[in-house]
Amino acid sequence: LLKLAVNLRHADFSEAIVGPIVRRTFKGFDARKNIVESAYVYLDLKNLSNGNGGHWRDQISAENACYYSMHDCIGRGEFDAALVYAEKLEKSTHEYFRMQGACFSAHILAKSLRAEAAIEKSVSICVSNPESVIFTPLVDLVSSRGFRELKTLASNPALAAAFYIYMEETGRTDKEVSLKVAWKRYLSEHQVDRPSALTFLSSRKPSLEEVFFLSEVCRQETMELGGAFSSQLDLDRERMQICIRLAQADSERLDVYDQEIVDLTRRINIEEGVEYLESSRVFVDEIGVQNWAKKNLESQFLRYTDYLKAGLFSSARELEDEMYKIAVTSKNRKAALANYLDEYDVSAETLLEDILTELGEAFLLLPRFGLDAFLSSRVRHGSFVGYLRGPLESKRLVTKKNSTTGKYQENEHILNKWGITSLKERNSAAAKLNAFSESIDQMLDESVSKYLHVRSKSRPEGMVNFLAERGSGGKVIKRWLLMLKATLNQNSTLELLVSHCFQNFFWPSVKLSLDDVQNFVRSDLGSRLIYAIDSLAESIRPTLSESERNSLLADKFYAKAEVRAAVDRVALWFDTPKNNTQMLTMNLQRTIEIGLRSTKNARPDFHPTVTWKVASDANIEISGPAIGVMNDISFLIFENISKHSGFEEGVPTREGSPKVEVSITLQGKVVEIFVVSEISDRKDLDEVKRGIASAKNKIRNREFDSVTQNVKGTGLVRLAINSGSSEGTETDAVKFGLDESGYFYVRFNIPRGVVEAVTQSELIQ
Amino acid sequence: MKRILFIEDDEPKLVQVLEFLEELSCHFSVTVAKSLSSACKEIDGGTFDVVLLDMSLPTFDGGKTANASGRQRTYGGKDILMYLWETETEVKVYVITQFKDFPGEKGAIDLPELHAQLGRDFPTLYCDHVYFEHNSDSWKEKLSRLLLD
């Protein structure tokens, strides 16, 4: 190695080669000096070979003479004098000597116990030439110090940079907190709480150290403990702002920042989309209900407004006058008013009452557009069970049923992990684990099949309904009717009526039952899941040795924590929709990626390798509720792949993941999505074919309503519903099947509702 | 009034310990932080006499989505001790944990080993630990002894 180093001493890259060799062969920079010296002798060989006689040292270059003098001083322990020579070298026109001067300055400062200055110097060398870190004393200096010892550098970006470089160079994490504190203190010294707010960015060109601090140090992992951020999304947004500022301040690396901005935009978009979709999964398609009302209720509504015009009803004014009279004259005003309204004869308003009743039913139960349809596609179909079963699956505490035997697979992973070896105990524990899987599935299936429905004759235990059906008799409809009467006039439109009822009657009324569903998920179901985990652990614990018990307790602890977090997240799905999310806009590919993320959240073993072929003119912008529709479609596609491609059967492995290709193209004026996915060799192709035939049959026979009520084996039919097949007579809006290579494919056009939403937003722009 | 910062993300344990602290003395003022991030905010903004510290902590308080709470740090409690050290915060720290062992680079570290390690690494901060169990009250005795001493 030494010979190699000497032979290469003249090369431009010798510095980078010598260092690692020295680190392998010698310790400390004094030993390294010999090799470096020989390099300079070689450089000055030309001078020496001129053969003017005299001592060779008199004939060498001024830089080399300075270099030797520096070493003489170091040898005598005269560090201040050595530093003067080193600084002279730093001013040389020769890059070698400049670098040597800088590195020796850092070492001499360190030797003379000026650690802060040595660190500052080392960082300065590293930011201009990152490979030089091994020629500086930085790692040694930082390894024995934290922020506390170096706090005089708090206002200098070099301190956080030093910790960062140390961690990068050594791969160690022992300075992680020091780095975060240094980063935080640097910001507070500059009176800001986020790097993008640093004022020098807009007033002057930042130094190399400042650019390094922003571009390398200010990454999401470093900023985690910053007081201004409370989620991963906040960190991504801040990093985005930093990159935008850097793109202006450090234009030489514009390409790098641009690429990071593109990546961050994608991540932020997806995270915002997921947050939007997970903040509430309760939805009613108001436009869809309006269109339905136009077809089915308009004649009744026009008759009502005609009667209004003809003065056939007592006017709202008369009603108000009577109520005013009661309010003024009655002793018990509240009771008298309530009594008056309860006894008020609405028979003349039957028309309006019928409209209101039918509209209320449509809000709750209208296929595809009503609340129950969205509960079906966004909650009952896969997501609810997946999200709550997911944490237990990822901890391998539950197994799946074998598709042939219908029995739960033996949980060998946990039996081995908990060290249960004796046959008798293993059989007993295996039975308990299987019973646990079964009880979890029963709880979740019961919730989905009984409670998470709109209450109806066929679903009497459904938890979602209007307050009117929960003890107030028909009087709520009557109250709505009276309120509506006071609102409507001769010029009112049906659209206005629908919107008014949604906002003022239906959502507030259904919210009460949704609150009950949230309580049910958090308190009832959540407690039962936690109890089941505790019971399993308690029943197996006595058979384990002390160390294995700890493994069981750790599994129990983490499983419970994750189940609780999942229960809290799922409960949020039953919040009423937020209006501000109407503003969210993203491209089509992103909405499909969000669906992919949702599927991965619901099915932790799903790790597809997805390739994208997206034509730029087909990647249309999607806004507001249409994002939800696309997410539903995307979720159905990926969930279908996850469930039926056969890659998650048996023991899950990351390697065995399906390859999926998604193409988005423009066919004439229509955006077409084409998805092809691989099927595992383990999967029985005849079973896949039977599933495809059954789905096609259901679509052909238009069995759309029954699918809303069912949970299993309905993905492709739901996809047909979401793609618009249930609206018209066309039954082949979605094409799917197996291609010649045995790959599953599905091809469909973007549904009309989504395209209309796009057109509307274009019109607004 | 003794000012206590209780850093804990596990809700049932949090509830039990808080109830016990309430029973124990009316002279405790307890602030709760459920993640590393919010614990650091509290440390930056307030003064405390005692920190009750859980070992495993998420980076952020729970959020609406699966990834919102960031990384779960097995040794998040150690990070808090380091943060207290680096920011020169003078406070007594008691670790309160329901685990008897923790994953380490060279195999599992049991509670006595962790206790010794924390005592070595943070002699001015770390005072003692309490082993918490839901199905036993023995932790209460030790915790009350530590807090009332």
Side-chain angles (χ1 to χ4, degrees), chain B residues 4 18 63-64 77 86 89 91 98 103 106 126 131 136 140:
Chain B
I4 300 175
L18 282 179
K64 287 177 181 172
E86 289 286 36
T89 310
V91 68
Q98 42 191 334
K106 296 169 190 168
Y126 175 76
Y131 176 60
S136 156
K140 292 184 178 175

Side-chain angles (χ1 to χ4, degrees), chain A residues 369-390:
Chain A
F369 304 114
L371 185 51
D372 199 60
F374 286 95
L375 284 178
S376 165
S377 62
R378 295 187 179 177
V379 176
R380 295 197 294 264
H381 184 72
S383 301
F384 187 84
V385 172
Y387 267 67
L388 295 178
R389 204 180 194 274

Side-chain angles (χ1 to χ4, degrees), chain A residues 104-125:
Chain A
F104 272 93
S105 288
H107 279 288
I108 293 162
L109 287 166
K111 283 255 179 192
S112 51
L113 305 181
R114 281 175 274 179
E116 287 85 353
I119 286 175
E120 210 179 333
K121 188 72 173 174
S122 301
V123 169
S124 163
I125 295 165

Side-chain angles (χ1 to χ4, degrees), chain A residues 124-148:
Chain A
S124 163
I125 295 165
C126 295
V127 296
S128 39
N129 187 0
E131 289 77 32
S132 308
V133 61
I134 56 167
F135 299 118
T136 72
L138 191 133
V139 169
D140 285 345
L141 287 168
V142 171
S143 69
S144 55
R145 292 172 175 85
F147 170 81
R148 193 176 168 147

